[in-house]
Each structure stands twice: as C-alpha cells, then as structure tokens.
Amino acid sequence: EPEVTQTPSHQVTQMGQEVILRCVPISNHLYFYWYRQILGQKVEFLVSFYNNEISEKSEIFDDQFSVERPDGSNFTLKIRSTKLEDSAMYFCASADDRAGNQPQHFGDGTRLSIL
Amino acid sequence: RKEVEQDPGPFNVPEGATVAFNCTYSNSASQSFFWYRQDCRKEPKLLMSVYSSGNEDGRFTAQLNRASQYISLLIRDSKLSDSATYLCVVREGSQGNLIFGKGTKLSVKP
C-alpha cells in the first residue's frame, strides 16, 4: 500500500536555527498538508497546499513557516528561526481529494526537539 | 472557534467488552467525519469514515447525528490490540483541512 514518508524521524536543533522537514506524499495525490502535535495535546492543522501554492493556513503558520514542493515529489516545511515552543511532532498528510469521504493519509512524523 | 470535543478517558475495559466513544463538533456546516486511531507517539491512522446513515466495519460501528452534531464509535468484542487513542476528526474549510479532537484513550486489559 502506498505510504507518505517523512524524514528525518527525529531532528534536534538549537533555538534560532532553521530546520527543514521533508515529506514524500503518495504519488498520485494532489492535496498536501502539514499538521503538528505538541506532546500531550491534539493534532493541529498548519497548512494546506495545492497546485503549487498554499490554499489555507492556520494562525499557527506565521511568517516563520514556509512550505515548498521543489521537485514534484518532495513537500517541505521550513521553520526559519526555531523557538522552544516549536518542539512537537510534525505530520505530513496527502489526499487525492479535498472533499467528501476521501481520507488524508499521514506520514509517521518528524519529532522536532528545540534546545 | 471550530472545535471537536471528546471525553479524554481513559476507558479501561476487559477483553471482549463493548465500548462506546462519543464526540461533538461545533460547526454545523461540516461535511465529512472520520475516526482515526493513534498509538503512542505514532501518526494518526484512519480507522473509518463516518457516513450519514451509519456504517460498520467488522467490530467497529460509527454513527452520525447531524441534528445534534454528534458522532459515535462502538467497538465490540474488544481486543488487546485495540488499546490506543481514538481521534474524532471533522473535515473543515474549502481545502479540506482536518480538525481533530483531543482523543479518547482506550486500554483493553486481559
């Protein structure tokens, strides 16, 4: 069964540094998403991406965040200057439809630890 | 603010028990509903979509009440492997982003 893959599985970074989290969505999917989950809290939507542009973003997704699909397969999330509160699991998801009962498929996440 | 509310549990049940989880959502315009399961420190995995007429998948039955904005999940004949956190999820917005509940933790004991 096709999978969403994410790298790295764990990233440890000093506060203020830039990080790039990488995702390879399922190949025929068109809609891409990033979510985060702070330890012990619920999964929160960050951003959706379609047709090479951001289609929706939450209030969490401020100017420190950006997304890109540089080569038609990878989908990246960049955090420019990390803060302690950015420590969380970051999940990438993809779907072949944004509506109806088509589910989003999640990657196994990147655990980001900011020191 | 669009919210999905769930009883956090934990629900501690013996193997073979039947257990039910409930969820309410705030946005009456929501169109799509799902139950995901999440094991500790793992990604959410789709358990089942929830259809207006209710649907069943083996030991799992999901119900939707649009008038009450209420979703339920029933698990029959619980297995040890059912131990996980069950996430009630609603699809929102024009781009289909998901709104998650905090989850209900289930622990099935021998």
Side-chain angles (χ1 to χ4, degrees), chain B residues 18-89:
Chain B
T18 295
V19 61
F21 304 137
N22 303 317
C23 164
T24 57
Y25 59 96
S26 62
N27 185 357
S28 59
S30 301
Q31 293 298 314
S32 304
F33 310 91
F34 307 90
W35 284 100
Y36 279 72
R37 93 171 249 166
Q38 186 174 32
D39 293 290
C40 188
R41 296 194 168 226
K42 299 286 189 181
E43 76 276 20
K45 289 187 177 178
L46 179 71
L47 181 65
M48 57 197 303
S49 302
V50 185
Y51 300 110
S52 295
S53 54
N55 48 298
E56 189 174 303
D57 183 359
R59 298 181 293 110
F60 300 87
T61 301
Q63 296 281 349
L64 169 64
N65 184 324
R66 285 186 184 274
S68 303
Q69 294 177 208
Y70 171 95
I71 306 161
S72 66
L73 177 69
L74 184 77
I75 305 175
R76 289 181 298 279
D77 188 23
S78 302
K79 311 289 185 195
L80 296 176
S81 56
D82 293 334
S83 296
T85 296
Y86 289 82
L87 307 176
C88 180
V89 183

Side-chain angles (χ1 to χ4, degrees), chain A residues 99-110:
Chain A
N101 285 312
Q102 294 302 314
Q104 293 178 18
H105 298 267
F106 283 75
D108 55 8
T110 293

Side-chain angles (χ1 to χ4, degrees), chain A residues 54-93:
Chain A
I54 290 173
S55 36
E56 196 163 355
K57 58 185 180 180
S58 72
E59 62 272 13
I60 302 169
F61 194 89
D62 61 21
D63 292 343
Q64 295 296 325
F65 291 87
S66 61
V67 289
E68 197 176 34
R69 189 160 159 80
D71 57 12
S73 64
N74 289 287
F75 177 50
T76 62
L77 174 68
K78 181 193 291 186
I79 309 175
R80 253 181 289 281
S81 178
T82 50
K83 302 187 282 288
L84 294 176
E85 54 265 38
D86 293 328
S87 295
M89 283 290 288
Y90 287 81
F91 295 109
C92 172

